[in-house]
Amino acid sequence: MLDLMLFAVWPYVAVAVCLVGLVWRWRVDQFGWTTLTSLLSEKRILNWASPLFHVGALLVILGHVAGLLIPKAWTVALGVPPATYHLVAVSLGVVAGAMLTVGTVALVLRRFILRTRLRLVTRRGDIVMYVILGLQIVLGLWQTIGFTALEARPSFDYRDSVSLWFRSIFVLQPDVAAMTPAPWAFKAHAALAFALIAVWPFSRLVHVFSIPIGYLTRPAIVYRHQGS
Amino acid sequence: MKIMAQMAMVMNLDKCIGCATCSVTCKQTWTNRDGVEHIWFNNVETNPGVGYPARWEDQRRWRGGWRVDQSGRLCLRQGNKAERLARIFNNPEAPSLDDYYEPATYDYQRLIKAPLTGLTPVARPLSAITGEPMAIKFGPNWDDDLGGSALWAARDPDLEAIATKVELAFEQSFMFHLPRICEHCLNPACVAACPSGAMFKRVEDGIVLADQDKCRGFRMCVSACPYKKVYMNRLTGKAEKCTFCFPRIEEGQETVCSETCVGRLRYIGVILYDRDAVGALAAADNPLAACRSAMLDPHDPGVIAAAKSDGLPSDWLDAAQASPIYELAIRQLVALPLHPEYRTLPMVWYIPPLSPLLEATGAMGGDDTDADDIAATVTAMRIPLDYLAQLFAAGDQAAVAGSLMRLAAVRQHMRARSLGRDDSAAEAVGASPEDLERLYHLLAVAKRSDRFVIPKAHHESTAQVAAWAGGCPVGGGPGATRRKGRA
């Protein structure tokens, strides 16, 4: 029953909240749609921790896309032996995870402990986001290192379980049974991932959707009419 | 060719007493909210000195403005678009509060509530940000009136650029105030650097603004502006900057800093420029000449015809023809741009101060109303001239000397006229007596309507402006409300 709630209902609820939330936020709160940069309050730690966090996070997302969306059969068909795939995935995962972890720890320490100024610009949304993100990172590393990396021939292959379930969500036929054999850390990680998606529109994470692609082709000087 | 109008300002530095009334009234109008404690859209610096933020002119550190690369192309000093986007996760060149200063207040309650003892209670300084006790170490006019002191003046980046070092002479004779606002450049680096497209230049009057709804907090504008006149709001994480008081300008009123200036040293007017020429002018070999040629002659029939066909309203053309800015900057050549070498084509210009030289002339036994004696001082005092040239002419000492000599000629000419004597002051500077008398009028006795020639905005074509009426353009949203626990 819990599995059904977490892996068949919750993903759709979370995605719906996210989509509706994004549309709502975009329409009513352009002013709040920002990175909420805290550079003004503190710069020295931010200068190295922020790129570390962001690049780490992007690599981690790429890794998840590869691991969850690409079926095992495809990599096998391409001639990649599972052992090699495993080695590459784990080593890249550990590097990306380490970057993300160090970056996050530095940012959290900076924000909540080192400087009073930063506590003053911290909002409730930031705290919720940091809690979920922190738990996710702990669970993610636990899986990568504890369940997968330390075993040469892993007893549990997420590509035969979690990935199947994840892809089934997109075709609107959630395969809850595929999740059943997964260890608890994988289950928690998957459920929390959708919690992150659900809080996305209500946090500063919206800035992810503001990647300035248009800047590359825009003329340098922007002219606008009065009142436009 | 596309003719557009630009609101521009000139400040006559001889008249600035450094009272900072402009800064205070500006602050009370625009930046008296939480989150913008450190922001001064208008600040007054003492020169030579470090300014605010300290050493803002040191572009090796801040990498603001534009440069011309080997192939002659204009590019932001921060690098090309790809280089800048690669550093989107951090921006080492953007100043933090530690680079500006930590705003402070005082523990006034202590004066009232301290228990009765034999000791006089003291109001300790408290951080206006955290409320914690702090030591005040720097501020927006920290070196106020200390321009001559070796401690502060020696750190002035403009002085470092000067080869000759005769500090004593300069310490004894040289200090002036420099009020600064956003330059509302024709080629604004902040606009070019904004990844979100939130920074923009207005077509009608050239005012450069930061759209609060579009700003995503990438803080590239802050570092790109070589004048350090775009700031981050501490609480909203968004860019804010001098607005040239556009709600007042649209109604034909001068900016707050101009209205409240007790020295009446500010002039506001319209100049005409060719939008299509901006790129080439900004990349030109001689930045000062480029700034001057950006201001088109509003009496030139070709310019008039082009302006009309580009839809410039006739009252704006009239204003451009009566512009005190064009008169001071181009016809009289007394006003000069601030750091034209940043290649942003700045639109707030300055008449360099003559008074330090007058004082020196007197000290050297000369007659400070005699243009020849002043000329001798100008030539003898290489440091002030060199220094002023670093500030206002990209190192072109002749341009600064030309401005100062014309100011001296006005004094001599008017003195001769009131004494009924003949003089050759006008000829000596290549001007007509009428030119000098017009300049005298504008600098000495001009009325408000002469100093500010501001045509009203044509609101009939911008209906939406009405929707703004009464609303604070930077208010609302998170961070605009006051924090709990602070009055």
Side-chain angles (χ1 to χ4, degrees), chain B residues 313-327:
Chain B
S314 62
D315 54 336
W316 278 66
L317 187 59
D318 294 345
Q321 291 177 342
S323 170
I325 309 304
Y326 190 78
E327 175 75 21

PDB file of all heavy atoms in Angstrom, chain B residues 313-327:
ATOM      1  N   PRO B 313       9.848  64.144 -31.680  1.00  0.00           N
ATOM      2  CA  PRO B 313       8.847  65.209 -31.540  1.00  0.00           C
ATOM      3  C   PRO B 313       9.501  66.589 -31.660  1.00  0.00           C
ATOM      4  O   PRO B 313      10.652  66.766 -31.257  1.00  0.00           O
ATOM      5  CB  PRO B 313       8.287  65.000 -30.125  1.00  0.00           C
ATOM      6  CG  PRO B 313       8.656  63.611 -29.750  1.00  0.00           C
ATOM      7  CD  PRO B 313       9.914  63.295 -30.485  1.00  0.00           C
ATOM      8  N   SER B 314       8.759  67.548 -32.184  1.00  0.00           N
ATOM      9  CA  SER B 314       9.370  68.856 -32.453  1.00  0.00           C
ATOM     10  C   SER B 314       9.771  69.562 -31.159  1.00  0.00           C
ATOM     11  O   SER B 314      10.757  70.291 -31.129  1.00  0.00           O
ATOM     12  CB  SER B 314       8.411  69.721 -33.269  1.00  0.00           C
ATOM     13  OG  SER B 314       7.232  69.939 -32.524  1.00  0.00           O
ATOM     14  N   ASP B 315       9.025  69.335 -30.062  1.00  0.00           N
ATOM     15  CA  ASP B 315       9.432  70.002 -28.816  1.00  0.00           C
ATOM     16  C   ASP B 315      10.741  69.409 -28.284  1.00  0.00           C
ATOM     17  O   ASP B 315      11.497  70.088 -27.606  1.00  0.00           O
ATOM     18  CB  ASP B 315       8.320  69.940 -27.760  1.00  0.00           C
ATOM     19  CG  ASP B 315       7.823  68.532 -27.499  1.00  0.00           C
ATOM     20  OD1 ASP B 315       7.973  67.677 -28.386  1.00  0.00           O
ATOM     21  OD2 ASP B 315       7.297  68.273 -26.399  1.00  0.00           O
ATOM     22  N   TRP B 316      10.990  68.151 -28.620  1.00  0.00           N
ATOM     23  CA  TRP B 316      12.266  67.554 -28.214  1.00  0.00           C
ATOM     24  C   TRP B 316      13.410  68.118 -29.051  1.00  0.00           C
ATOM     25  O   TRP B 316      14.510  68.316 -28.550  1.00  0.00           O
ATOM     26  CB  TRP B 316      12.208  66.020 -28.323  1.00  0.00           C
ATOM     27  CG  TRP B 316      11.558  65.426 -27.112  1.00  0.00           C
ATOM     28  CD1 TRP B 316      10.258  65.575 -26.736  1.00  0.00           C
ATOM     29  CD2 TRP B 316      12.186  64.640 -26.091  1.00  0.00           C
ATOM     30  NE1 TRP B 316      10.029  64.931 -25.539  1.00  0.00           N
ATOM     31  CE2 TRP B 316      11.201  64.338 -25.131  1.00  0.00           C
ATOM     32  CE3 TRP B 316      13.467  64.159 -25.910  1.00  0.00           C
ATOM     33  CZ2 TRP B 316      11.460  63.586 -23.990  1.00  0.00           C
ATOM     34  CZ3 TRP B 316      13.750  63.395 -24.774  1.00  0.00           C
ATOM     35  CH2 TRP B 316      12.748  63.111 -23.829  1.00  0.00           C
ATOM     36  N   LEU B 317      13.127  68.388 -30.332  1.00  0.00           N
ATOM     37  CA  LEU B 317      14.149  69.004 -31.182  1.00  0.00           C
ATOM     38  C   LEU B 317      14.468  70.417 -30.680  1.00  0.00           C
ATOM     39  O   LEU B 317      15.629  70.821 -30.584  1.00  0.00           O
ATOM     40  CB  LEU B 317      13.661  69.036 -32.629  1.00  0.00           C
ATOM     41  CG  LEU B 317      14.684  69.498 -33.664  1.00  0.00           C
ATOM     42  CD1 LEU B 317      15.918  68.612 -33.647  1.00  0.00           C
ATOM     43  CD2 LEU B 317      14.063  69.514 -35.057  1.00  0.00           C
ATOM     44  N   ASP B 318      13.409  71.142 -30.304  1.00  0.00           N
ATOM     45  CA  ASP B 318      13.620  72.483 -29.729  1.00  0.00           C
ATOM     46  C   ASP B 318      14.498  72.387 -28.487  1.00  0.00           C
ATOM     47  O   ASP B 318      15.414  73.182 -28.285  1.00  0.00           O
ATOM     48  CB  ASP B 318      12.277  73.123 -29.340  1.00  0.00           C
ATOM     49  CG  ASP B 318      11.416  73.409 -30.560  1.00  0.00           C
ATOM     50  OD1 ASP B 318      11.973  73.385 -31.678  1.00  0.00           O
ATOM     51  OD2 ASP B 318      10.196  73.629 -30.398  1.00  0.00           O
ATOM     52  N   ALA B 319      14.193  71.410 -27.640  1.00  0.00           N
ATOM     53  CA  ALA B 319      14.960  71.246 -26.397  1.00  0.00           C
ATOM     54  C   ALA B 319      16.413  70.907 -26.701  1.00  0.00           C
ATOM     55  O   ALA B 319      17.333  71.394 -26.035  1.00  0.00           O
ATOM     56  CB  ALA B 319      14.334  70.151 -25.533  1.00  0.00           C
ATOM     57  N   ALA B 320      16.624  70.079 -27.724  1.00  0.00           N
ATOM     58  CA  ALA B 320      17.995  69.708 -28.088  1.00  0.00           C
ATOM     59  C   ALA B 320      18.762  70.940 -28.568  1.00  0.00           C
ATOM     60  O   ALA B 320      19.957  71.086 -28.317  1.00  0.00           O
ATOM     61  CB  ALA B 320      17.978  68.632 -29.166  1.00  0.00           C
ATOM     62  N   GLN B 321      18.042  71.845 -29.257  1.00  0.00           N
ATOM     63  CA  GLN B 321      18.716  73.045 -29.752  1.00  0.00           C
ATOM     64  C   GLN B 321      19.018  74.026 -28.630  1.00  0.00           C
ATOM     65  O   GLN B 321      19.946  74.820 -28.726  1.00  0.00           O
ATOM     66  CB  GLN B 321      17.857  73.691 -30.843  1.00  0.00           C
ATOM     67  CG  GLN B 321      17.824  72.823 -32.097  1.00  0.00           C
ATOM     68  CD  GLN B 321      16.928  73.365 -33.183  1.00  0.00           C
ATOM     69  OE1 GLN B 321      16.063  74.209 -32.926  1.00  0.00           O
ATOM     70  NE2 GLN B 321      17.115  72.891 -34.406  1.00  0.00           N
ATOM     71  N   ALA B 322      18.211  73.971 -27.566  1.00  0.00           N
ATOM     72  CA  ALA B 322      18.434  74.879 -26.428  1.00  0.00           C
ATOM     73  C   ALA B 322      19.216  74.176 -25.320  1.00  0.00           C
ATOM     74  O   ALA B 322      19.324  74.686 -24.207  1.00  0.00           O
ATOM     75  CB  ALA B 322      17.085  75.348 -25.890  1.00  0.00           C
ATOM     76  N   SER B 323      19.784  73.021 -25.636  1.00  0.00           N
ATOM     77  CA  SER B 323      20.388  72.188 -24.590  1.00  0.00           C
ATOM     78  C   SER B 323      21.621  72.821 -23.965  1.00  0.00           C
ATOM     79  O   SER B 323      22.587  73.144 -24.657  1.00  0.00           O
ATOM     80  CB  SER B 323      20.760  70.837 -25.210  1.00  0.00           C
ATOM     81  OG  SER B 323      21.531  70.093 -24.315  1.00  0.00           O
ATOM     82  N   PRO B 324      21.624  72.991 -22.645  1.00  0.00           N
ATOM     83  CA  PRO B 324      22.840  73.487 -21.992  1.00  0.00           C
ATOM     84  C   PRO B 324      23.978  72.475 -22.093  1.00  0.00           C
ATOM     85  O   PRO B 324      25.147  72.840 -22.015  1.00  0.00           O
ATOM     86  CB  PRO B 324      22.397  73.686 -20.535  1.00  0.00           C
ATOM     87  CG  PRO B 324      21.222  72.801 -20.349  1.00  0.00           C
ATOM     88  CD  PRO B 324      20.541  72.728 -21.687  1.00  0.00           C
ATOM     89  N   ILE B 325      23.628  71.217 -22.274  1.00  0.00           N
ATOM     90  CA  ILE B 325      24.658  70.177 -22.364  1.00  0.00           C
ATOM     91  C   ILE B 325      25.455  70.340 -23.660  1.00  0.00           C
ATOM     92  O   ILE B 325      26.688  70.317 -23.655  1.00  0.00           O
ATOM     93  CB  ILE B 325      24.015  68.763 -22.326  1.00  0.00           C
ATOM     94  CG1 ILE B 325      23.057  68.633 -21.146  1.00  0.00           C
ATOM     95  CG2 ILE B 325      25.084  67.687 -22.316  1.00  0.00           C
ATOM     96  CD1 ILE B 325      23.651  68.932 -19.812  1.00  0.00           C
ATOM     97  N   TYR B 326      24.723  70.532 -24.775  1.00  0.00           N
ATOM     98  CA  TYR B 326      25.418  70.698 -26.041  1.00  0.00           C
ATOM     99  C   TYR B 326      26.276  71.963 -26.009  1.00  0.00           C
ATOM    100  O   TYR B 326      27.406  71.969 -26.497  1.00  0.00           O
ATOM    101  CB  TYR B 326      24.402  70.760 -27.194  1.00  0.00           C
ATOM    102  CG  TYR B 326      25.073  70.691 -28.542  1.00  0.00           C
ATOM    103  CD1 TYR B 326      25.514  69.478 -29.044  1.00  0.00           C
ATOM    104  CD2 TYR B 326      25.311  71.849 -29.286  1.00  0.00           C
ATOM    105  CE1 TYR B 326      26.169  69.403 -30.256  1.00  0.00           C
ATOM    106  CE2 TYR B 326      25.968  71.782 -30.502  1.00  0.00           C
ATOM    107  CZ  TYR B 326      26.393  70.555 -30.983  1.00  0.00           C
ATOM    108  OH  TYR B 326      27.052  70.496 -32.190  1.00  0.00           O
ATOM    109  N   GLU B 327      25.749  72.993 -25.395  1.00  0.00           N
ATOM    110  CA  GLU B 327      26.488  74.255 -25.291  1.00  0.00           C
ATOM    111  C   GLU B 327      27.802  74.041 -24.522  1.00  0.00           C
ATOM    112  O   GLU B 327      28.875  74.440 -24.974  1.00  0.00           O
ATOM    113  CB  GLU B 327      25.616  75.298 -24.582  1.00  0.00           C
ATOM    114  CG  GLU B 327      26.295  76.630 -24.296  1.00  0.00           C
ATOM    115  CD  GLU B 327      26.458  77.495 -25.541  1.00  0.00           C
ATOM    116  OE1 GLU B 327      25.725  77.254 -26.512  1.00  0.00           O
ATOM    117  OE2 GLU B 327      27.330  78.386 -25.530  1.00  0.00           O
TER     118      GLU B 327
END
